[in-house]
Amino acid sequence: MLIAGFPAGAWGTNCYLVAPAAGEECVIIDPGHQAAQGVEDALRKHRLKPVAVVLTHGHIDHVASVVPVCGAHDVPAWIHPSDRYMMSDPEKGIGRTIGMPLMGELTVGEPDDVRELSDGAELKLAGMEFAVSHAPGHTKGSVTFRMPEMADIPPVLFSGDLLFAGSVGRTDLPGGDHAEMLESLARVCLPLDDSTVVLSGHGSQTTIGRERASNPYLRGMAAPRRGM
């Protein structure tokens, strides 16, 4: 398994390229502000061919490079329907005050092929499987992508702006909801094995076990009971 990640743009948003190995097909996760060149550099370095872009949510710092990346490689973009509107109207997702300094340098809109994610979906892309969990709180259409344990790596959760090392995503932007954030953390994150590697939308990687023990938003929180 190959996972190449880099922070991009004014917000330092993590963009990831995921492939079974170098020289194979790959999936691009969250190509945000000023991420297009970094994506091209990583594709060349690892000899990868993209087959899809998948988005954890619709904020401009995670989707700003979707149109050029999808257009350059003729691949679809996947996003939850509740956040799709932000691709064409990012100010509605982050507010005018936050977005205005960079709006003049951004090309907004949808790529030619947009496909919608749903809770519980299993995406099979580039020979890999991504389990989709709807995780509102940061935005109404936030999702996570989980990959199962493989021979050479533990399970991986691409958490977007749901869970960070030592913190969680903000809930004060349009569509944010603190109660929904806590519910999503309990439902999506807490049932996972402690060894699960968390690759989030900002900052360094962590593990579920580390966050369960030390993250103030998770410490003492109980996972929801599963039905009989």
Side-chain angles (χ1 to χ4, degrees):
M1 174 66 64
L2 184 153
I3 300 176
F6 62 93
W11 292 280
T13 304
N14 290 325
C15 176
Y16 300 100
L17 290 81
V18 188
E24 299 197 25
E25 293 182 334
C26 75
V27 173
I28 301 167
I29 301 176
D30 287 355
H33 181 235
Q34 297 180 342
Q37 187 58 56
V39 167
E40 296 304 319
D41 292 344
L43 291 174
R44 283 193 297 270
K45 177 180 179 181
H46 301 290
R47 299 173 285 109
L48 300 173
K49 175 180 172 52
V51 298
V53 167
V54 298
L55 303 167
T56 60
H57 62 288
H59 281 160
I60 194 65
D61 59 320
H62 290 252
V63 309
S65 295
V66 170
V67 170
V69 169
C70 288
H73 300 282
D74 192 24
V75 298
W78 293 79
I79 190 168
H80 192 277
S82 294
D83 276 13
R84 182 171 177 172
Y85 72 94
M86 296 187 208
M87 300 172 77
S88 299
D89 196 353
E91 284 187 15
K92 285 187 177 178
I94 60 175
R96 186 174 178 83
T97 302
I98 294 176
M100 276 304 294
L102 290 170
M103 286 301 166
E105 66 179 78
L106 299 176
T107 301
V108 299
E110 294 190 355
D112 291 339
D113 187 354
V114 179
R115 306 180 187 184
E116 295 186 345
L117 298 165
S118 60
D119 184 49
E122 295 281 347
L123 294 183
K124 296 183 179 180
L125 301 167
M128 302 174 292
E129 293 188 5
F130 297 83
V132 180
S133 293
H134 186 211
H138 182 61
T139 68
K140 294 300 183 186
S142 289
V143 301
T144 66
F145 302 104
R146 180 171 48 83
M147 302 183 71
E149 182 177 5
M150 300 182 187
D152 56 342
I153 62 167
V156 175
L157 178 73
F158 295 95
S159 65
D161 287 4
L162 173 66
L163 178 64
F164 302 135
S167 189
V168 298
R170 62 191 294 179
T171 58
D172 59 332
L173 296 176
D177 186 296
H178 184 69
E180 285 187 333
M181 172 67 77
L182 295 179
E183 190 278 332
S184 291
L185 290 165
R187 174 176 49 82
V188 175
C189 297
L190 287 186
L192 300 179
D193 190 87
D194 281 352
S195 67
T196 302
V197 174
V198 179
L199 298 177
S200 61
H202 302 270
S204 60
Q205 77 175 49
T206 184
T207 65
I208 289 294
R210 186 178 304 151
E211 298 312 302
R212 195 193 311 276
S214 63
N215 190 310
Y217 293 90
L218 294 186
R219 201 168 49 229
M221 180 184 287
R225 292 185 178 182
R226 298 184 182 276
M228 298 299 291

